[in-house]
PDB file of all heavy atoms in Angstrom:
ATOM      1  N   ASN A 353     -21.303 -42.088   1.557  1.00 98.00           N
ATOM      2  CA  ASN A 353     -20.452 -43.221   1.707  1.00 98.00           C
ATOM      3  C   ASN A 353     -21.115 -44.511   1.479  1.00 98.00           C
ATOM      4  O   ASN A 353     -22.436 -44.504   1.498  1.00 98.00           O
ATOM      5  CB  ASN A 353     -19.744 -43.163   3.104  1.00 98.00           C
ATOM      6  CG  ASN A 353     -20.727 -43.298   4.276  1.00 98.00           C
ATOM      7  OD1 ASN A 353     -21.244 -44.383   4.578  1.00 98.00           O
ATOM      8  ND2 ASN A 353     -20.987 -42.066   4.925  1.00 98.00           N
ATOM      9  N   VAL A 354     -20.442 -45.579   1.427  1.00 98.00           N
ATOM     10  CA  VAL A 354     -21.092 -46.894   1.055  1.00 98.00           C
ATOM     11  C   VAL A 354     -22.054 -47.338   2.119  1.00 98.00           C
ATOM     12  O   VAL A 354     -23.231 -47.642   1.814  1.00 98.00           O
ATOM     13  CB  VAL A 354     -20.005 -47.915   0.784  1.00 98.00           C
ATOM     14  CG1 VAL A 354     -20.532 -49.353   0.680  1.00 98.00           C
ATOM     15  CG2 VAL A 354     -19.057 -47.620  -0.338  1.00 98.00           C
ATOM     16  N   ASP A 355     -21.576 -47.259   3.439  1.00 98.00           N
ATOM     17  CA  ASP A 355     -22.524 -47.668   4.455  1.00 98.00           C
ATOM     18  C   ASP A 355     -23.851 -46.851   4.528  1.00 98.00           C
ATOM     19  O   ASP A 355     -24.936 -47.403   4.759  1.00 98.00           O
ATOM     20  CB  ASP A 355     -21.703 -47.652   5.835  1.00 98.00           C
ATOM     21  CG  ASP A 355     -20.733 -48.677   6.028  1.00 98.00           C
ATOM     22  OD1 ASP A 355     -20.546 -49.598   5.163  1.00 98.00           O
ATOM     23  OD2 ASP A 355     -19.964 -48.644   6.947  1.00 98.00           O
ATOM     24  N   ALA A 356     -23.745 -45.600   4.374  1.00 98.00           N
ATOM     25  CA  ALA A 356     -24.852 -44.693   4.289  1.00 98.00           C
ATOM     26  C   ALA A 356     -25.804 -45.052   3.200  1.00 98.00           C
ATOM     27  O   ALA A 356     -27.128 -44.994   3.391  1.00 98.00           O
ATOM     28  CB  ALA A 356     -24.471 -43.241   4.369  1.00 98.00           C
ATOM     29  N   LEU A 357     -25.274 -45.175   1.978  1.00 98.00           N
ATOM     30  CA  LEU A 357     -26.152 -45.554   0.954  1.00 98.00           C
ATOM     31  C   LEU A 357     -26.888 -46.916   0.965  1.00 98.00           C
ATOM     32  O   LEU A 357     -27.984 -47.144   0.767  1.00 98.00           O
ATOM     33  CB  LEU A 357     -25.316 -45.544  -0.365  1.00 98.00           C
ATOM     34  CG  LEU A 357     -25.096 -44.101  -0.930  1.00 98.00           C
ATOM     35  CD1 LEU A 357     -24.077 -44.101  -2.101  1.00 98.00           C
ATOM     36  CD2 LEU A 357     -26.401 -43.503  -1.327  1.00 98.00           C
ATOM     37  N   VAL A 358     -26.061 -47.813   1.574  1.00 98.00           N
ATOM     38  CA  VAL A 358     -26.644 -49.270   1.860  1.00 98.00           C
ATOM     39  C   VAL A 358     -27.874 -49.039   2.964  1.00 98.00           C
ATOM     40  O   VAL A 358     -29.006 -49.683   2.597  1.00 98.00           O
ATOM     41  CB  VAL A 358     -25.653 -50.312   2.268  1.00 98.00           C
ATOM     42  CG1 VAL A 358     -26.259 -51.461   2.856  1.00 98.00           C
ATOM     43  CG2 VAL A 358     -24.714 -50.495   1.162  1.00 98.00           C
ATOM     44  N   ASP A 359     -27.574 -48.297   3.909  1.00 98.00           N
ATOM     45  CA  ASP A 359     -28.599 -48.082   4.890  1.00 98.00           C
ATOM     46  C   ASP A 359     -29.920 -47.482   4.208  1.00 98.00           C
ATOM     47  O   ASP A 359     -30.953 -47.793   4.628  1.00 98.00           O
ATOM     48  CB  ASP A 359     -28.019 -47.167   6.045  1.00 98.00           C
ATOM     49  CG  ASP A 359     -29.123 -46.965   7.161  1.00 98.00           C
ATOM     50  OD1 ASP A 359     -29.499 -47.984   7.757  1.00 98.00           O
ATOM     51  OD2 ASP A 359     -29.426 -45.757   7.312  1.00 98.00           O
ATOM     52  N   TYR A 360     -29.639 -46.466   3.379  1.00 98.00           N
ATOM     53  CA  TYR A 360     -30.689 -45.800   2.764  1.00 98.00           C
ATOM     54  C   TYR A 360     -31.501 -46.697   1.869  1.00 98.00           C
ATOM     55  O   TYR A 360     -32.749 -46.707   1.869  1.00 98.00           O
ATOM     56  CB  TYR A 360     -30.151 -44.605   1.893  1.00 98.00           C
ATOM     57  CG  TYR A 360     -31.327 -43.900   1.280  1.00 98.00           C
ATOM     58  CD1 TYR A 360     -32.097 -42.838   1.775  1.00 98.00           C
ATOM     59  CD2 TYR A 360     -31.574 -44.135  -0.151  1.00 98.00           C
ATOM     60  CE1 TYR A 360     -33.045 -42.285   1.304  1.00 98.00           C
ATOM     61  CE2 TYR A 360     -32.624 -43.468  -0.746  1.00 98.00           C
ATOM     62  CZ  TYR A 360     -33.288 -42.563  -0.110  1.00 98.00           C
ATOM     63  OH  TYR A 360     -34.282 -41.824  -0.765  1.00 98.00           O
ATOM     64  N   MET A 361     -30.834 -47.578   1.173  1.00 97.00           N
ATOM     65  CA  MET A 361     -31.529 -48.539   0.290  1.00 97.00           C
ATOM     66  C   MET A 361     -32.270 -49.568   0.989  1.00 97.00           C
ATOM     67  O   MET A 361     -33.298 -50.092   0.571  1.00 97.00           O
ATOM     68  CB  MET A 361     -30.476 -49.257  -0.762  1.00 97.00           C
ATOM     69  CG  MET A 361     -29.998 -48.192  -1.857  1.00 97.00           C
ATOM     70  SD  MET A 361     -28.886 -48.922  -3.038  1.00 97.00           S
ATOM     71  CE  MET A 361     -27.208 -48.771  -2.234  1.00 97.00           C
ATOM     72  N   LYS A 362     -31.826 -49.798   2.255  1.00 98.00           N
ATOM     73  CA  LYS A 362     -32.526 -50.679   3.154  1.00 98.00           C
ATOM     74  C   LYS A 362     -33.912 -50.044   3.702  1.00 98.00           C
ATOM     75  O   LYS A 362     -34.945 -50.666   3.757  1.00 98.00           O
ATOM     76  CB  LYS A 362     -31.657 -51.190   4.267  1.00 98.00           C
ATOM     77  CG  LYS A 362     -30.714 -52.167   3.798  1.00 98.00           C
ATOM     78  CD  LYS A 362     -29.883 -52.721   5.013  1.00 98.00           C
ATOM     79  CE  LYS A 362     -28.870 -53.801   4.594  1.00 98.00           C
ATOM     80  NZ  LYS A 362     -28.103 -54.281   5.688  1.00 98.00           N
TER      81      LYS A 362
END
Side-chain angles (χ1 to χ4, degrees):
N353 63 72
V354 173
D355 289 351
L357 283 171
V358 168
D359 181 63
Y360 180 83
M361 289 184 269
K362 287 182 177 182

